[in-house]
């Protein structure tokens, strides 16, 4: 088995491509500051070439049978899994994710390719009972066309496959702009896709140090028919505005402010395990990480102590070390944001039970932290932390918990722990969120619909619904059938 190389050129129309600007930019390991590669710094012109290539490839790719596309996607899945260890290492080096989590992300990312390879064959239409006897009424589903994916650094592989596997399965072609910080995994995916047999132009990767110009092409070019973005809500709103001019179908997986409610009747051990898994996954840098712990009065002190005990034992370090549970944050801006939020809370009376900055390991490390005595007047109640800080808010009644949980413009993921069956249904139905974990802290899987409500986004990824984002429904009325 040949190894996956570090690629530095963009991948456009089936070729490794030097950008028109001839410029490159550095990819830096956040754990060590080491320069990993000098990657193509593409411009709007390069993005346009990629869109045009994807457009040319669309006709032949969409005309393949679903089975033919499925076979190629399955090969891509196999190759990703064969290269699991190398991809995981590359991912850890470019984003700092602990290696065990990176190994898990490769499996998670590959699962979307496998799932949609299977779903490709199940894009069914409908035969609809007609209103008159002389006609047949049908609805067919057709691939929408060139799809673009603007993806984040926190899941360098899985967010690409979660968008592009359904696109390719449906018969669309794709242009990806990976996050500035994490293009290496994306380029490796392109290499494996080519080996799997993806024809030229079907999957393109355009790398750039400042995504604005490339992003403008991917959201505004008339040949692009679908835009999918994962990232912050402000950027998502801007991309939606850009896509509006040509009325492109859009999916947005945006920011969250996930509540994690612990009721007095919860199984506390299970709640602590769920809390650790959800809050500290990828060092607190996922959109579905807990942002606010809402803990009922009667169990608050016990929960706070047990959580702080577990958190204080977590191993912090370079993600390449097997023992590392918490890696670095992605950049200085992330450290600044976390520091500001913790300072804001402590200056208004919050207590640090464990944690705080850890600059002795490296400038981008922040120790996993637990804050008590936190109130809804502090910034951590409203703002996405995106770091390893667990603020614990206190509540008295179920109604209070639901009100506090829903008191946010965001609505991605929510979690709650209780053993009361009536409460399970009441709370699950009352939470204004796209996804709810009930006595469970990790809910992401290729078989379930991932996505948010309110300002957390539009559309669903994964599951049987994920492919709908890449098809148009066409109504056919066949008349004159006397
Ligand atoms: C994200 O943070 O954007 C994705 C998290 C997941 O898929 O679990």
């Amino acid at each position: 088995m040949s190894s996956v190389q570090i690629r530095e050129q963009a991948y456009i129309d089936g070729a490794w491509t030097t950008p028109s600007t001839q410029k490159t930019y550095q990819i830096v390991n956040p754990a060590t500051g080491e320069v990993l590669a000098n990657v193509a710094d593409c411009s709007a012109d390069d993005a346009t070439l990629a869109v045009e290539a994807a457009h040319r490839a669309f006709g032949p790719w969409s005309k393949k049978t679903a089975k033919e596309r499925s076979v190629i996607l399955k090969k891509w899945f196999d190759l990703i899994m064969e290269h699991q260890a190398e991809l995981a290492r590359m991912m850890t080096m470019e984003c700092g994710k602990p290696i065990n989590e990176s190994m898990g992300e490769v499996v998670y990312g590959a699962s979307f390719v496998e799932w949609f390879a299977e779903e490709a064959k199940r894009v069914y239409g409908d035969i609809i009972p007609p209103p008159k006897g002389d006609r047949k009424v049908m609805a067919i589903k057709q691939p929408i066309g060139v799809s673009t994916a603007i993806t984040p650094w926190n899941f360098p592989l899985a967010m690409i496959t979660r968008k592009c596997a359904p696109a390719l399965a449906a018969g669309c072609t794709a242009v990806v702009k990976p996050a500035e910080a994490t293009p290496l995994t994306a380029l490796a995916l392109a290499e494996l896709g080519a080996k799997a047999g993806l024809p030229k132009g079907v999957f393109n990767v355009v790398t750039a140090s400042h995504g604005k110009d490339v992003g403008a092409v991917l959201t505004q070019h008339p040949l692009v028919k679908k835009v999918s973005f994962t990232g912050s809500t402000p950027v998502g709103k801007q991309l939606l505005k850009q896509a509006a001019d040509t009325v492109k179908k859009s999916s947005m997986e945006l920011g969250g402010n996930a509540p994690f409610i612990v009721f007095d009747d919860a199984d506390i051990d299970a709640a602590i395990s769920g809390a650790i898994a959800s809050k500290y996954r990828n060092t607190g840098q996922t959109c579905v990480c807990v942002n606010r712990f809402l803990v009922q009065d009667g169990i608050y002190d016990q929960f706070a102590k047990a959580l702080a005990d577990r958190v204080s034992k977590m191993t912090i370090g370079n993600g390449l070390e097997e023992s590392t549970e918490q890696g670095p944050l992605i950049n200085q801006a992330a450290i600044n944001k976390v520091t500001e939020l913790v300072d804001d809370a402590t200056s208004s009376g919050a207590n640090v039970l464990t944690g705080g900055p850890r600059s002795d390991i490296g400038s981008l490390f922040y120790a996993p932290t637990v804050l008590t005595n936190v109130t809804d007047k502090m910034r951590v109640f409203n703002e996405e932390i995106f770091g390893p800080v667990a603020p614990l808010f206190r509540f008295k009644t179920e109604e209070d918990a639901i009100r506090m949980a829903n008191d946010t413009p965001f609505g991605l993921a929510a979690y709650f722990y209780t053993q009361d069956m009536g409460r399970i249904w009441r709370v699950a139905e009352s939470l204004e969120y796209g996804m709810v974990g009930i006595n469970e802290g990790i809910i992401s899987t290729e078989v379930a619909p991932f996505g948010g409500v309110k300002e957390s986004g539009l559309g669903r990824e994964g599951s049987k619904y994920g492919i709908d984002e890449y098809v148009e429904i066409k109504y056919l009325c066949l008349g004159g059938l006397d």
Side-chain angles (χ1 to χ4, degrees):
M1 180 182 81
S2 60
S3 57
V4 181
Q5 295 177 36
I6 287 199
R7 294 284 187 175
E8 297 185 311
Q9 290 168 295
Y11 188 71
I12 298 174
D13 203 12
W16 296 104
T17 306
T18 301
S20 53
T21 57
Q22 307 288 324
K23 286 192 191 148
T24 60
Y25 72 100
Q26 292 184 337
I27 306 305
V28 176
N29 182 336
T32 60
E34 171 202 1
V35 176
L36 301 170
N38 290 289
V39 161
D41 198 357
C42 293
S43 64
D45 288 346
D46 303 304
T48 303
L49 288 178
V51 168
E52 289 168 354
H55 179 67
R56 284 193 300 277
F58 174 62
W61 180 249
S62 63
K63 285 184 183 56
K64 282 191 185 295
T65 63
K67 170 96 178 194
E68 286 168 332
R69 290 194 297 270
S70 175
V71 166
I72 295 173
L73 288 174
K74 277 200 190 121
K75 276 195 202 140
W76 199 19
F77 163 78
D78 288 338
L79 287 169
I80 295 169
M81 289 308 299
E82 274 172 32
H83 292 277
Q84 180 187 11
E86 286 165 87
L87 290 168
R89 202 178 147 78
M90 194 179 269
M91 199 187 298
T92 290
M93 291 203 296
E94 62 180 351
C95 80
K97 184 174 285 201
I99 191 71
N100 293 322
E101 288 195 47
S102 294
M103 290 291 279
E105 183 183 336
V106 177
V107 176
Y108 179 46
S111 74
F112 293 107
V113 182
E114 183 186 44
W115 173 267
F116 286 109
E118 291 155 357
E119 287 298 287
K121 295 176 277 181
R122 300 189 191 108
V123 180
Y124 303 132
D126 292 307
I127 308 281
I128 299 164
K132 292 187 183 157
D134 67 341
R135 62 193 59 187
K136 296 289 176 200
V137 172
M138 293 155 280
I140 60 168
K141 291 183 182 169
Q142 293 183 299
I144 191 162
V146 174
S147 303
T148 60
I150 302 178
T151 58
W153 49 264
N154 62 341
F155 286 86
L157 192 150
M159 296 305 101
I160 295 177
T161 54
R162 194 158 78 184
K163 296 175 192 312
C164 295
L168 270 45
C172 301
T173 52
V175 180
V176 182
K177 192 202 83 59
E180 293 80 22
T182 57
L184 302 181
T185 312
L187 295 167
L189 266 181
E191 178 169 0
L192 296 176
K195 277 195 186 140
L198 288 175
K200 68 177 194 162
V202 168
F203 182 77
N204 305 274
V205 178
V206 182
T207 53
S209 64
H210 294 94
K212 237 180 167 177
D213 294 349
V214 169
V217 173
L218 301 196
T219 50
Q220 291 177 319
H221 196 296
L223 292 177
V224 173
K225 302 298 175 207
K226 159 83 196 188
V227 174
S228 180
F229 169 69
T230 293
S232 74
T233 295
V235 174
K237 287 180 183 176
Q238 179 56 37
L239 297 180
L240 271 176
K241 284 182 196 150
Q242 292 172 194
D245 274 347
T246 41
V247 195
K248 298 191 198 308
K249 189 161 172 160
S250 304
S251 304
M252 296 280 142
E253 200 259 273
L254 307 178
N257 184 2
F260 185 107
I261 308 170
V262 189
F263 288 99
D264 282 347
D265 63 16
D267 173 338
I268 186 130
D269 291 338
I272 294 291
S273 297
I276 298 279
S278 175
K279 173 69 247 183
Y280 297 100
R281 179 173 173 224
N282 197 16
T283 317
Q285 302 173 106
T286 86
C287 299
V288 290
C289 277
V290 181
N291 209 55
R292 296 170 295 155
F293 285 91
L294 311 180
V295 188
Q296 202 161 12
D297 223 12
I299 206 172
Y300 186 95
D301 293 335
Q302 187 190 352
F303 181 84
K305 185 176 176 321
L307 184 65
D309 278 357
R310 283 276 290 275
V311 169
S312 64
K313 297 189 182 94
M314 291 181 108
T315 315
I316 312 165
N318 185 330
L320 286 181
E321 285 152 27
E322 285 280 331
S323 58
T324 294
E325 293 170 289
Q326 296 285 277
L329 299 194
I330 188 69
N331 55 29
Q332 191 57 44
I335 287 282
N336 295 348
K337 171 95 191 278
V338 170
T339 308
E340 267 178 36
L341 291 177
V342 172
D343 288 352
D344 171 77
T346 51
S347 67
S348 306
N351 300 322
V352 180
L353 281 198
T354 184
R358 277 293 296 273
S359 53
D360 53 326
I361 306 179
S363 59
L364 299 185
F365 288 86
Y366 200 100
T369 298
V370 176
L371 299 176
T372 53
N373 206 25
V374 188
T375 72
D376 59 6
K377 303 287 176 290
M378 299 172 185
R379 285 177 58 189
V380 278
F381 188 81
N382 296 308
E383 294 181 40
E384 195 173 23
I385 302 168
F386 236 68
V389 176
L392 271 53
F393 302 81
R394 201 183 277 271
F395 74 87
K396 284 199 161 54
T397 65
E398 185 179 306
E399 292 68 34
D400 287 343
I402 292 167
R403 182 185 45 73
M404 288 168 79
N406 289 340
D407 184 14
T408 169
F410 298 104
L412 190 58
Y415 309 86
F416 65 95
Y417 278 70
T418 176
Q419 300 196 72
D420 177 329
M421 195 48 83
R423 173 173 276 164
I424 283 178
W425 282 105
R426 281 194 306 277
V427 176
E429 287 179 357
S430 306
L431 287 171
E432 296 164 358
Y433 287 83
M435 299 174 281
V436 180
I438 306 161
N439 296 326
E440 187 53 64
I442 294 288
I443 55 176
S444 305
T445 158
E446 81 280 15
V447 307
F450 190 105
V453 299
K454 295 160 76 176
E455 294 186 23
S456 285
L458 297 172
R460 293 293 177 267
E461 296 186 326
S463 82
K464 68 171 184 173
Y465 304 108
I467 207 160
D468 291 344
E469 306 284 336
Y470 296 90
V471 295
E472 291 283 23
I473 296 177
K474 185 181 281 176
Y475 155 45
L476 305 179
C477 181
L478 174 61
L481 296 177
D482 297 334

